[in-house]
Amino acid sequence: MLDEQAKKTMLRKIPHGLYICGVKDGEEMNGFTASWVMQASFQPPLIVNCVKQDSISHQMIEKSGVFALSFLEDGQKEMAQKFFKPMRRVGNKFEDVEFYTGETGCPIISDSLGYVECQVVGKVDKGDHTVYVGEVIASGIHREGKQLLLETTGWNYGG
């Protein structure tokens, strides 16, 4: 028998960095705070990014086949919070955020530690998130710093 509280407690102990995942569909752009991200291969360099299936960003990745991850620095909790809100409710989340587009055309946060851009090379549709496998096709460093972690925010996403 599954102990629901034990499951929730233990799954929330999995460490997660916080990123802004930039996506696009043609000229339209969006971004969301991602935490279910990890490296999956050295050769080729692969990233796993889990995206909620009922989101606009999921639809955009499905159409474009690309995404970018901007790595947030410890202390950028407000930036992460801004991108948690759904586009349907708040509109253009990049309106007052400095960004540029990279090789994929996806938005990259200028005030981040750096970024990777990915071309989707695989996916698994199970549960309420799609597990995208993205091959890293571009990357860059903006500055050195310590990455913002979910656990340091006091928030929970998981369990």
Side-chain angles (χ1 to χ4, degrees), residues 16-21 32-35 37-38 69-72 147:
H16 300 283
L18 289 176
Y19 315 83
I20 302 302
C21 183
F32 65 94
T33 302
S35 64
V37 173
M38 65 180 257
L69 294 169
S70 296
F71 290 59
L72 295 180
Q147 185 176 2

Side-chain angles (χ1 to χ4, degrees), residues 72-138:
L72 295 180
E73 186 173 13
D74 191 31
Q76 290 186 304
K77 180 178 176 177
E78 286 182 21
M79 177 82 72
Q81 192 167 16
K82 175 182 183 62
F83 282 87
F84 262 132
K85 299 171 184 163
M87 184 179 176
R88 290 180 195 95
R89 276 199 352 233
V90 299
N92 180 5
K93 293 181 245 181
F94 287 100
E95 191 170 43
D96 60 352
V97 175
E98 189 176 326
F99 72 95
Y100 60 96
T101 57
E103 280 189 36
T104 60
C106 293
I108 296 166
I109 304 291
S110 300
D111 185 24
S112 65
L113 294 174
Y115 68 93
V116 293
E117 293 185 85
C118 297
Q119 175 76 46
V120 174
V121 294
K123 69 177 184 171
V124 177
D125 289 311
K126 297 287 181 191
D128 56 8
H129 282 61
T130 295
V131 179
Y132 287 106
V133 179
E135 183 171 350
V136 177
I137 59 171

